[in-house]
Amino acid sequence: HLLAMGRIVPWSEVAKHDSVHDCWVVLHDKVYDLTQFLGQHPGGAKVIAKWAGKDGTASFAAIHPEAITQQLSQEAFMGEVDKSTSPTERAAVPARDEEVVLPPMQTCLNSYDFEAVARRRLQKETLDYLTSAADDEVTFRENSAVFSLVWLRPAILVDVKEVDTTCRILGAASSFPAYISSVALGKLYHPDGECGLAIGAEKI
């Protein structure tokens, strides 16, 4: 590892290691041999292997802090990439479709409305993660089914000039009858990640 610290690796060398059997990936201008790590990656080998011999920084940074690379074995670090030899087109994650016109916030009346907008804005990989669940997804389907059984009784001719939305959720006071479920990989759907969720929750 100490020898690799001062080593400069040209892009031509990185490009040679472009398979699951020989997988070098550039992350934040540092070159890592992730061949042995592929089988240990919680998200599976494919998500890393597709960046073999390329710059995977954009995909990596959307999910992980840079410091997490310190958990890799010392032997995995191959050196700093030679930026002067960078290819003209470096691999990157496709940007979200910023051209999609967002509807006025007040027209989104429930969670399904927000989901419909998200499906038009987010990348497929992001949607696949957010709309999936663990194992056979039985609990996920049951949660959705139970939620659909909750009906609101309409109130006619009631003064709604002042509405109090405060309530208690699992014994805790809340200003609004909704909460943000714990979910990982916040940066997949917004650069602010979990910090953005916390800021949004504080404003409600």
Side-chain angles (χ1 to χ4, degrees):
H1 181 67
L2 292 177
L3 293 175
M5 288 183 64
R7 183 186 178 194
I8 302 299
V9 184
W11 268 103
S12 58
E13 177 65 20
V14 175
K16 294 177 182 178
H17 306 271
D18 59 353
S19 71
V20 292
H21 304 294
D22 186 11
C23 179
W24 285 20
V25 180
V26 174
L27 301 174
H28 296 286
D29 296 322
K30 293 181 176 64
V31 183
Y32 296 93
D33 181 354
L34 301 181
T35 309
Q36 299 302 316
F37 179 70
L38 290 178
Q40 305 172 28
H41 185 236
K46 288 184 178 180
V47 70
I48 295 179
K50 69 179 182 180
W51 298 109
K54 304 174 184 176
D55 185 352
T57 302
S59 179
F60 173 84
I63 303 174
H64 308 291
E66 182 178 356
I68 201 172
T69 56
Q70 297 175 7
Q71 298 181 21
L72 294 169
S73 66
Q74 294 184 349
E75 292 75 16
F77 179 59
M78 297 290 102
E80 302 275 345
V81 71
D82 186 352
K83 298 179 184 179
S84 67
T85 63
S86 174
T88 54
E89 294 185 6
R90 296 171 67 173
V93 173
R96 291 175 298 178
D97 186 2
E98 300 293 347
E99 298 300 320
V100 174
V101 178
L102 296 178
M105 180 69 73
Q106 61 269 26
T107 64
C108 294
L109 304 180
N110 54 49
S111 60
Y112 299 113
D113 293 339
F114 285 102
E115 180 179 351
V117 176
R119 287 184 177 280
R120 296 163 56 194
R121 285 290 300 273
L122 299 178
Q123 299 171 29
K124 181 182 182 303
E125 290 182 354
T126 302
L127 282 172
D128 288 345
Y129 174 77
L130 290 176
T131 57
S132 66
D135 299 325
D136 50 18
E137 300 186 346
V138 170
T139 303
F140 171 72
R141 293 194 298 273
E142 286 301 310
N143 286 340
S144 300
V146 170
F147 183 75
S148 67
L149 297 178
V150 177
W151 288 50
L152 297 179
R153 182 171 60 184
I156 309 301
L157 299 178
V158 174
D159 184 4
V160 292
K161 182 179 180 180
E162 295 183 6
V163 178
D164 182 8
T165 60
T166 58
C167 63
R168 300 189 73 82
I169 300 177
L170 299 178
S174 177
S175 61
F176 192 74
Y179 71 98
I180 299 174
S181 296
S182 57
V183 58
L185 310 184
K187 286 188 176 182
L188 272 178
Y189 40 89
H190 195 280
D192 291 343
E194 285 75 7
C195 291
L197 293 176
I199 293 172
E202 182 183 26
K203 292 182 178 180
I204 296 178

